[in-house]
Amino acid sequence: MEFFAFTDEEKVFKGKVRRCARERIKPLAQKYGETDDVPQEIVDVMIEGGLFRILFPKEYGGDGVSAVKLCIAREELAQVSLIADVTLAMQGLGGYPVVLAGTQEQKKKYLPKLVRGDLLSTYALTEPAAGSDVAGIVATGVKKGNQYVLNGKKRFISNGFRADMGVTFVKTKEDMGNKGISAFIYENGVEGLRVSRRLKLMALHDIVELEFKNCRLPAENLLGEENDGFKIAMRTLDLLRMSVGAASIGTAQAALDLSIEFSSQRRAFGQPISNYQAISFKLAEMATEIDAARLLVYRAADLKDKGIERITKESSMAKYYATEMAGRVVDKAVQIHGALGVTCGMDVERLFREARLPRVYEGTTEIQKLVIANMILKEAKMTEKKQL
Ligand SMILES: Cc1cc2nc3c(=O)[nH]c(=O)nc-3n(C[C@H](O)[C@H](O)[C@H](O)COP(=O)(O)OP(=O)(O)OC[C@H]3O[C@@H](n4cnc5c(N)ncnc54)[C@H](O)[C@@H]3O)c2cc1C
């Protein structure tokens, strides 16, 4: 089904990604199973499929940044491989800050390699004591001569083990809340950076802790102006946030497809269980909720591609609704599968665990609601003022 009349180019892209995902990535995802590693074979197929190109401007070898294509790709990838989906997202999260705020030198140094997949990236914002409350981060960057010395810990950093580089956010000015945060590019392997993989999530994920201990980065690694890091972090999320919703749509669609197939074949009391309204109504609810989420996600992506400056509310609505929707849909899918639905090794059981993660990362559901509420209250006040 189509929304917002995808352009011809987007339609061709969707077909291409779908073939790449189903014919090439899915068999690899099955071969590697639930590993937390990012298999190079999967990355290679993503490179060949040109998937990283949709995140970067043409002048650096990309196809031009496209939120709609990013959502299309995440929807298709999440149906077959969480690793592939997260790898694409992290390439955007680590690469887009460079697109937004990088100097010519930084762009020339990193973007062509990110487009080609010669470098994989990550985005390191969260700390042990600061997740939703970004202003509460305590890692520091102190300027000494022509270097910045970084100290502090980052936690829950996706693809952090496999990544070759990342963008991190540290305090460069005390007592200034989010106005005292700066963004830095770092490379894995730099002296003073320890990457450890002590965390194990409920679904497969290369997730790490980073510890910067007197880690000296050249001043050229500062991204944007000093103390502009919060803005860079948030503007990056404006592109990526609605695409989390797209990945959740992929997860939910995969659960619906499995449920349609299973309920048409599984018989109880002499007939396929899909003949019973209790089951068919579930399928109807699942399909309707998935389409509702698609409308929100592609609306936000479409606005972004049209160059609308701030799409914070639309992006948060898309992320909030689609990720919660996937939780409800996958839960119904598990119920339709009966005991097989809760059996380890069943696709639907894996999807149930995978659907849980996006409700937490890139802003929890509660934080999305805070953002939406703030925006609608502000809009209401402005309308009131205009009417006076
Ligand atoms: C799979 C996964 C991948 C991740 N990848 C990355 C990554 O690559 N890079 C990165 O930097 N981080 C990453 N994270 C971290 C993620 O962004 C944080 O976990 C998230 O922002 C929430 O922070 P927290 O876990 O510290 O929870 P907290 O902020 O401590 O929140 C705990 C609970 O309190 C609620 N809460 C907090 N404040 C409020 C409020 N004001 N009003 C109402 N409720 C509130 C939250 O919604 C949540 O339910 C990842 C997390 C996961 C699970």
Side-chain angles (χ1 to χ4, degrees):
M1 173 160 253
E2 256 177 50
F3 298 93
F4 293 104
F6 287 144
T7 61
D8 287 344
E9 195 197 335
E10 286 160 358
K11 282 184 205 163
V12 171
F13 177 77
K14 189 169 174 68
K16 213 175 101 183
V17 185
R18 177 166 287 188
R19 282 193 300 280
C20 176
R22 296 185 182 185
E23 291 167 18
R24 301 196 59 199
I25 296 179
K26 188 175 177 182
L28 291 173
Q30 285 165 343
K31 169 177 154 186
Y32 286 99
E34 293 214 40
T35 166
D36 285 338
D37 293 326
V38 179
Q40 187 59 37
E41 264 191 290
I42 291 185
V43 176
D44 286 342
V45 173
M46 294 176 73
I47 294 169
E48 274 177 49
L51 290 181
F52 298 137
R53 299 167 62 95
I54 60 174
L55 297 163
F56 299 100
K58 287 187 175 154
E59 60 213 280
Y60 298 99
D63 291 339
V65 180
S66 166
V68 169
K69 284 187 186 168
L70 173 62
C71 289
I72 291 173
R74 292 199 69 180
E75 191 183 329
E76 294 298 329
L77 292 176
Q79 291 183 49
V80 300
S81 164
L82 182 59
I83 288 277
D85 169 50
V86 172
T87 299
L88 181 65
M90 296 318 295
Q91 199 74 338
L93 277 166
Y96 197 54
V98 183
V99 174
L100 284 174
T103 60
Q104 277 308 315
E105 287 70 33
Q106 288 168 336
K107 288 180 179 176
K108 273 192 213 148
K109 181 171 177 189
Y110 292 106
L111 297 185
K113 289 184 181 164
L114 289 168
V115 173
R116 291 197 300 268
D118 293 345
L119 290 178
L120 292 186
S121 66
T122 190
Y123 176 91
L125 179 65
T126 304
E127 297 186 359
S132 306
D133 180 12
V134 175
I137 65 175
V138 293
T140 53
V142 176
K143 192 159 190 205
K144 289 209 172 133
N146 59 356
Q147 292 181 321
Y148 281 87
V149 183
L150 268 60
N151 277 291
K153 287 184 180 169
K154 296 285 166 185
R155 193 165 70 168
F156 295 117
I157 308 307
S158 299
N159 276 20
F161 201 73
R162 174 60 185 84
D164 305 286
M165 60 162 289
V167 172
T168 193
F169 301 86
V170 297
K171 278 267 162 79
T172 37
K173 204 169 193 181
E174 268 181 53
D175 304 326
M176 289 294 288
N178 56 31
K179 292 201 174 82
I181 295 172
S182 298
F184 290 91
I185 300 170
Y186 71 88
E187 291 179 20
N188 267 8
V190 63
E191 206 181 325
L193 169 62
R194 200 160 62 90
V195 182
S196 53
R197 226 184 189 182
R198 259 177 275 133
L199 308 159
K200 177 86 192 143
L201 302 191
M202 61 197 282
L204 86 179
H205 219 86
D206 169 15
I207 201 150
V208 302
E209 290 182 348
L210 305 179
E211 187 173 4
F212 295 98
K213 227 175 187 176
N214 292 323
C215 177
R216 292 173 177 274
L217 296 180
E220 302 92 79
N221 285 30
L222 174 70
L223 202 46
E225 298 294 318
E226 210 176 81
N227 303 317
D228 257 359
F230 182 75
K231 265 194 247 160
I232 297 169
M234 294 304 123
R235 285 184 62 204
T236 302
L237 293 183
D238 261 359
L239 172 68
L240 271 297
R241 204 165 249 170
M242 94 282 282
S243 80
V244 181
S248 289
I249 292 169
T251 308
Q253 184 66 52
L256 174 61
D257 292 345
L258 288 169
S259 302
I260 293 171
E261 195 187 339
F262 181 83
S263 64
S264 307
Q265 286 165 8
R266 176 72 180 173
R267 296 174 75 84
F269 302 98
Q271 19 183 338
I273 57 170
S274 60
N275 284 3
Y276 298 113
Q277 215 173 57
I279 299 295
S280 66
F281 274 21
K282 278 193 184 62
L283 299 176
E285 288 157 10
M286 291 156 83
T288 306
E289 285 216 63
I290 291 172
D291 273 5
R294 278 203 182 100
L295 286 167
L296 283 172
V297 164
Y298 286 101
R299 173 183 72 163
D302 189 49
L303 288 173
K304 178 80 188 159
D305 286 348
K306 284 189 173 129
I308 307 295
E309 189 52 30
R310 293 310 305 255
I311 50 150
T312 312
K313 181 181 78 178
E314 291 78 5
S315 205
S316 282
M317 284 178 166
K319 201 257 174 192
Y320 150 52
Y321 184 80
T323 57
E324 292 288 326
M325 172 284 294
R328 290 190 294 273
V329 164
V330 179
D331 187 62
K332 287 192 174 99
V334 167
Q335 192 67 12
I336 289 171
H337 282 74
L340 286 174
V342 292
T343 302
C344 293
M346 291 293 287
D347 282 339
V348 78
E349 180 271 342
R350 175 180 50 76
L351 292 169
F352 182 78
R353 289 181 284 112
E354 291 181 0
R356 192 63 188 83
L357 308 185
R359 289 160 67 186
V360 175
Y361 69 76
E362 277 185 52
T364 62
T365 291
E366 291 76 14
I367 294 303
Q368 306 308 329
K369 287 185 189 175
L370 270 182
V371 170
I372 298 163
N374 283 341
M375 300 292 286
I376 57 176
L377 289 169
K378 216 192 275 176
E379 284 166 11
K381 266 195 196 140
M382 277 163 63
T383 317
E384 206 178 299
K385 256 191 200 164
K386 270 188 203 157
Q387 282 166 352
L388 286 177

